[in-house]
Amino acid sequence: MAVGIFDSGLGGLTVLDAAQRRLPDVEFLYFGDNARAPYGVRDAEDVFQLTNDAVHQMWARGCDLVILACNTASAAALRRMQEAGVPEGKRVLGVFVPLIEALTERQWGDNSPPREVATKHVALFATPATVASRAFQRELAFRAIGVDVEAQSCGGLVDAIEDGDMILAEALVKSHVDALLRKMPKPEAAILGCTHYPLMEEAFQAALGPDVTVFSQGNLVADSLADYLTRHPQMLGSGEGGYLTTGDASRVSTRATQFLRREITFQSA
Ligand code: DGL
């Protein structure tokens, strides 16, 4: 039995790690499309095709539930895949909704009309494709009114993280935060709207200062997955867990081990 976790590369490991801590008895199959990362500079059609292919492979390996632990894929592919209809007994879910429910102080599945919330000025850091999709703003507008969102597309950051160049990644965080603060000098909250960015969470918090609450997706998605599996225990799936990549398995294993500070061994997908 395994629950699938998909990302373009290493970023989804931040979600996987939180999910493994929250659900130690559940097996997970991680799939990183590292050979084709970053997705955030691709157009929506391309991201849809790549995501759709990967999720079908994970379903075929026995995962009944696949989490798109990738905001870029969630923005470009999730709705389209769900609308096209998924195979009987299979599900695909994204990572936006748990985050937006936390930001708007909602319980899971609270579909009441949008209302005023305490946080009024929100900085969104995401990939160029996620920012262009305006998917965060759309999901937020279903739940909250009067929230001002300023989005900063963080070009180059995913490549630097995938390459393990943390000095460049830190410099990029600083310059993207500076650019955001020029547009919105006093955000109350910052959303790390790409699952790679929690690997740089300390750098974001340092650049934003202590008064800004930084929201990242790991624990929020893990809690929401735990709740989902309690309500749908049959979605645990039948396949085996493990770590798959379309990239160079040894290189990806080294990076993953460095990021999660425990031994992770990827196999070729
Ligand atoms: N980690 C992904 C996200 O959450 C994608 C990054 C990328 O491949 O550009 O958006």
Side-chain angles (χ1 to χ4, degrees):
M1 59 168 205
V3 171
I5 306 260
F6 169 74
D7 183 44
S8 61
L10 295 164
L13 291 172
T14 60
V15 172
L16 174 84
D17 190 46
Q20 285 176 326
R21 287 174 202 278
R22 181 73 176 73
L23 296 161
D25 298 331
V26 172
E27 271 206 70
F28 292 94
L29 177 68
Y30 187 87
F31 185 115
D33 193 9
N34 301 73
R36 298 180 192 90
Y39 277 16
V41 290
R42 294 174 181 272
D43 66 27
E45 181 60 31
D46 208 5
V47 174
F48 169 76
Q49 294 300 345
L50 294 174
T51 306
N52 195 42
D53 280 3
V55 171
H56 276 85
Q57 284 185 50
M58 296 176 84
W59 282 335
R61 287 178 185 265
C63 297
D64 288 342
L65 171 63
V66 175
I67 310 287
L68 299 183
C70 175
N71 293 271
T72 308
S74 301
L78 182 63
R79 189 177 286 242
R80 197 167 151 191
M81 287 182 74
Q82 288 172 336
E83 282 172 3
V86 300
E88 170 99 38
K90 304 289 184 188
R91 286 295 299 269
V92 56
L93 299 173
V95 284
F96 286 168
V97 171
L99 178 72
I100 291 187
E101 285 179 341
L103 184 74
T104 56
E105 307 144 26
R106 284 187 179 233
Q107 298 300 320
W108 185 88
D110 171 356
N111 288 326
S112 58
R115 53 177 181 258
E116 286 219 26
V117 291
T119 310
K120 304 277 190 221
H121 303 282
V122 176
L124 167 66
F125 297 95
T127 65
T130 300
V131 169
S133 75
R134 300 185 61 81
F136 265 99
Q137 288 90 329
R138 196 171 52 237
E139 291 295 337
L140 190 63
F142 289 138
R143 296 169 178 83
I145 43 177
V147 182
D148 187 14
V149 178
E150 191 63 61
Q152 176 65 32
S153 115
C154 300
L157 187 49
V158 167
D159 301 76
I161 294 170
E162 287 281 317
D163 289 346
D165 187 344
M166 303 326 262
I167 294 174
L168 174 60
E170 242 181 88
L172 287 170
V173 168
K174 176 98 187 50
S175 88
H176 287 306
V177 168
D178 285 351
L180 183 286
L181 293 176
R182 283 197 291 278
K183 298 180 280 185
M184 178 182 272
K186 284 198 181 308
E188 296 150 60
I191 294 177
L192 302 189
C194 167
T195 53
H196 281 70
Y197 301 172
L199 295 165
M200 302 305 297
E201 186 159 347
E202 281 176 24
F204 272 102
Q205 186 74 70
L208 286 159
D211 296 338
V212 180
T213 308
V214 175
F215 285 80
S216 66
Q217 288 164 318
N219 289 332
L220 299 170
V221 173
D223 285 348
S224 139
L225 175 61
D227 183 57
Y228 181 87
L229 289 174
T230 311
R231 287 178 292 110
H232 304 278
Q234 77 284 5
M235 297 309 288
L236 280 166
S238 57
E240 272 181 39
Y243 297 85
L244 297 174
T245 178
T246 55
D248 173 341
S250 122
R251 190 166 166 275
V252 173
S253 302
T254 306
R255 295 261 186 277
T257 299
Q258 175 193 339
F259 286 141
L260 295 195
R261 300 193 180 95
R262 58 188 161 91
E263 189 75 34
I264 307 278
T265 307
F266 274 82
Q267 319 279 338
S268 292

